[in-house]
């Protein structure tokens, strides 16, 4: 028994050492990085990309370089709440005021609250909230959980399959291993056909993180309990917290404006608070020119 335990420990140590060597190899393969690219490519970041590509250094390098190109053009760290606040007026996507059992932040999505038909607006709003969630992750966590409340959902409020596909591509290709789990809570039957069309675009790893949950299903209730403290979970998700998911747009906007200043500080922008922008509290941003990607080491 002791020998088996010892062997398991040795195997774990070897596995950790092997993975750290892969991180080192990937960093060397990327070559010289600077500015935002260097800030983005932490060891934790490299591990996530390696994990997403089964620890294949060449595939991980290709994936990460594509993300660096995307970030250089899309500039997700420069999106500010004042730009996307109109998308969030109904609270269709917001941060929960509770965490899951592992202390991970929770994003609440309510597709029945869809209020615009701008594909790009929907995507930028979600990307902003993902970046914000990452900024506010506890030191020991790299993932977040999503809860999707289907109250009021109809196909008229649903975003298109194409927009959903674009969102999935961004999540899978540029935010690997950031999603811990997504609970689709009490989805109506009409959503099933939509999900069948969308599931085609999910890789196997992501698809396994998608959980359907129904209030009358004992298995669903037990699964939700394993991820969330029922006392803190809102009643809309089968919990006991009586405070409903009422969304206060002005309060949320104030919180995001403060976080925008924190984002600017993290990325090294010259940013100072300003008066309301387009009716929303928002900081004034003076962003540096994007740093060109460093060429791979020859």
């Amino acid at each position: 028994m002791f020998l088996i335990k010892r062997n398991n420990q040795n195997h774990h140590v070897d596995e950790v050492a092997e993975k750290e060597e892969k991180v080192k190899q990937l960093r060397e393969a990327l070559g010289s990085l600077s500015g935002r690219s260097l800030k983005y490519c932490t060891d934790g970041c490299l591990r996530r990309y390696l994990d997403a590509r089964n620890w294949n250094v060449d595939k991980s390098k290709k994936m990460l370089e594509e993300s660096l190109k995307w970030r250089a053009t899309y500039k997700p760290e420069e999106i500010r709440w004042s730009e996307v606040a109109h998308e969030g007026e109904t609270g269709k996507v917001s941060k929960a005021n509770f965490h899951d059992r592992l202390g991970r932040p929770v994003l609440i999505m309510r597709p029945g609250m869809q209020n615009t038909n701008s594909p790009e607006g929907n995507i930028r709003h979600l990307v902003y909230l993902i970046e914000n969630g990452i900024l506010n992750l506890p030191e020991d966590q790299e993932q977040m959980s999503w809860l999707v409340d289907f109250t009021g959902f109809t196909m008229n409020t649903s975003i298109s399959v194409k927009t959903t596909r674009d969102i999935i591509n961004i999540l899978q290709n540029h935010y690997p291993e950031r999603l811990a789990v997504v609970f689709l809570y009490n989805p109506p039957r009409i959503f099933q056909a939509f999900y069948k069309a969308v599931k085609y675009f999910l890789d196997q790893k992501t698809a396994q993180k998608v959980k359907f949950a129904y209030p009358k299903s004992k298995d669903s209730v037990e699964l939700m309990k394993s991820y969330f403290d029922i006392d803190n979970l809102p009643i809309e998700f089968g919990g006991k917290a009586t405070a409903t998911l009422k969304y206060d747009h002005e309060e949320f906007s104030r919180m995001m404006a403060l976080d925008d200043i924190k984002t600017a500080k993290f990325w090294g922008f010259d940013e100072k608070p300003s008066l309301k922008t387009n009716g929303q509290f928002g900081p004034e941003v003076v962003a540096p020119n994007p740093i060109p990607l460093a060429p791979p080491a020859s």
Side-chain angles (χ1 to χ4, degrees), residues 48 95 98-106 130-145 178 262:
R48 284 192 302 276
K95 286 197 304 184
F98 60 91
H99 294 78
D100 69 12
R101 285 192 181 277
L102 294 179
R104 295 178 295 214
V106 178
I130 291 170
E131 287 281 323
N132 178 271
I134 291 168
L135 180 77
N136 287 297
L137 282 171
E139 277 189 26
D140 61 338
Q141 292 296 343
E142 295 195 331
Q143 294 183 316
M144 57 191 84
S145 297
R178 285 301 192 187
K262 190 159 62 168

Side-chain angles (χ1 to χ4, degrees), residues 36-47:
R36 297 186 208 177
S37 296
L38 181 61
K39 184 93 174 168
Y40 181 72
C41 291
T42 62
D43 282 359
C45 171
L46 268 54
R47 285 188 200 99

Side-chain angles (χ1 to χ4, degrees), residues 91-158:
K92 63 186 177 188
V93 186
S94 62
K95 286 197 304 184
N97 61 358
F98 60 91
H99 294 78
D100 69 12
R101 285 192 181 277
L102 294 179
R104 295 178 295 214
V106 178
L107 271 188
I108 303 283
M109 299 185 179
R110 289 180 278 189
M113 299 283 195
Q114 183 58 249
N115 60 328
T116 74
N117 53 14
S118 164
E120 184 53 35
N122 273 289
I123 292 169
R124 282 181 74 78
H125 178 234
L126 181 58
V127 166
Y128 169 86
L129 287 169
I130 291 170
E131 287 281 323
N132 178 271
I134 291 168
L135 180 77
N136 287 297
L137 282 171
E139 277 189 26
D140 61 338
Q141 292 296 343
E142 295 195 331
Q143 294 183 316
M144 57 191 84
S145 297
W146 290 9
L147 284 172
V148 185
D149 173 19
F150 280 90
T151 302
F153 175 85
T154 68
M155 290 312 290
N156 291 332
T157 63
S158 174

